[in-house]
Each structure stands twice: as structure tokens, then as C-alpha cells.
Amino acid sequence: MDVIGPAGAGLAIAMENLFPPLPSEVILPMAGLASSRGSFTLFEALFWTTAGSVVGAMLLYGLGAWLGVARLRAIAAKVPLLHPEDIDRTVAWFSRHGGKAVFFGRMIPIFRSLISIPAGITRMPLWRFALLTTAGSLIWNSIFVLSGFVLGESWHIVERYADILQYVVIAATVLGVAWFVYVRVRALVSERGWRSGAEPELD
């Protein structure tokens, strides 16, 4: 962190948005630790890491805008267990709750990156997306940068709690996907059983 400086920390956070396995929970506290040692100021750490968050989110917003609703519906029609109507329902939900989803999504592991894509798909006004992303990212980044600044060499303590939160999110996501697959498979089996029973018998 002393070598790459605050701008390098911002670049690392931008990359974390595009490649979620990069751990912001490690990068941010280390930026705070470096600022506590005087390598750069706390303001620089917060400014550059938040700027990196916004830049990474904007790139994913652009990806979502390029995909668009029509292209996603076409993809959903070809994916087993998905229907184009699922895209319509998701877009309708995001149109109603997109602001809260973007703001709070920036503070949830994994989803902090992915939430930018539906924002682009629904063409949320760019100024609103940028404002909500900046606010949510600043809160998230401040928690971890300040923890590194305050804890110093013991910055890794916060990583343990961040890992717990990440495991909870992953578990909830896996359960949600498993339930979705179960419901869709059961409906498919029931539909095929009904069709089979409805077919007339041949002499």
C-alpha cells in the first residue's frame, strides 16, 4: 500500500467491483493503516477508494445498459428454468425499489458489485445512480478504512467479521437459488405429468 499509494488503492477497489473475489475488506483497512502511518492522508484514502468504487460501478452500469431488457429476455428464453417474464418482474421490482437497492446494495458483499448491472438495464438516471453509489460506497469504505486507521497493525480483526457477513450473504443466496430451482422443477414436473395424463389413449 505504501508503494501504490492512495490512487493505487482506488484502482484496486475499482477492480474489486469488476472482479468481486478481490477483497475490499482487506484493501480498505490496509489503506487506513497506511494513512495512520503517514504514507498518505485519511482524506486521500477515503477519496480515492470511493472514486474507485464509483468508477467500477459505472463500468458495470454500462454493461447493464448494453445488455438491455430485450437482450436479457432473449437470453432468459434459452436458459432452462428461466422465463422472459422473470426479467419483466425483476425490472418492475427494480423500477420501484432501485434507489434503495443501489444504496444499500453497496454495503452488501458480492451484491455491491452486481447491483450496478440492473441499474444499467433499467436505465436508472445516471446522476441518481452516481449519487446513490457514491453515498453507499463512502459509508462502506469509511467503515473499513477507519477500522484500519484506528486498529493499526490489528486491522485484520475486522476481516473476521466481514468474512462472517460474506458467508451469511453467500448462504442466503445459495438457499434462494435452491428454492427457485426446486419450485421451477416441481412446476415443470407437474406440468408434464398433467400433459401426459391428458393425452388420449390410442387403440
Side-chain angles (χ1 to χ4, degrees):
M1 193 60 64
D2 291 337
V3 172
I4 65 175
L11 178 60
I13 292 299
M15 294 300 297
E16 179 260 345
N17 279 262
L18 303 175
F19 189 64
L22 283 174
S24 66
E25 296 85 350
V26 173
I27 299 169
L28 294 171
M30 288 181 66
L33 173 60
S35 64
S36 72
R37 290 176 167 178
S39 299
F40 42 82
T41 66
L42 184 60
F43 173 80
E44 287 177 308
L46 291 172
F47 174 82
W48 283 102
T49 55
T50 301
S53 296
V54 174
V55 169
M58 286 293 184
L59 292 174
L60 290 176
Y61 177 96
L63 174 62
W66 174 79
L67 282 172
V69 176
R71 187 175 279 114
L72 273 183
R73 291 183 91 259
I75 294 173
K78 299 176 182 178
V79 176
L81 304 181
L82 284 181
H83 308 303
E85 293 76 16
D86 296 329
I87 304 300
D88 297 335
R89 282 191 290 269
T90 302
V91 168
W93 181 89
F94 198 89
S95 297
R96 292 193 303 271
H97 307 288
K100 290 177 286 186
V102 170
F103 177 73
F104 290 107
R106 295 301 306 176
M107 293 174 267
I108 301 176
I110 302 175
F111 287 97
R112 53 187 268 97
S113 297
L114 300 178
I115 198 63
S116 303
I117 298 177
I121 292 170
T122 58
R123 299 299 178 96
M124 174 183 283
L126 198 57
W127 67 266
R128 186 168 183 241
F129 173 76
L131 183 63
L132 292 169
T133 297
T134 301
S137 299
L138 181 59
I139 293 173
W140 174 266
N141 293 355
S142 296
I143 291 172
F144 286 93
V145 170
L146 289 174
S147 68
F149 186 86
V150 173
L151 293 174
E153 296 294 341
S154 301
W155 64 268
H156 57 275
I157 293 175
V158 73
E159 186 184 2
R160 301 174 189 171
Y161 296 98
D163 285 343
I164 293 173
L165 175 60
Q166 183 164 301
Y167 294 146
V168 169
V169 171
I170 291 173
T173 302
V174 170
L175 288 174
V177 171
W179 177 253
F180 175 83
V181 171
Y182 168 76
V183 171
R184 283 296 165 89
V185 169
R186 196 170 95 171
L188 187 61
V189 170
S190 298
E191 182 181 356
R192 287 181 177 177
W194 179 83
R195 287 180 179 177
S196 177
E199 289 179 358
E201 296 183 1
L202 299 176
D203 294 335

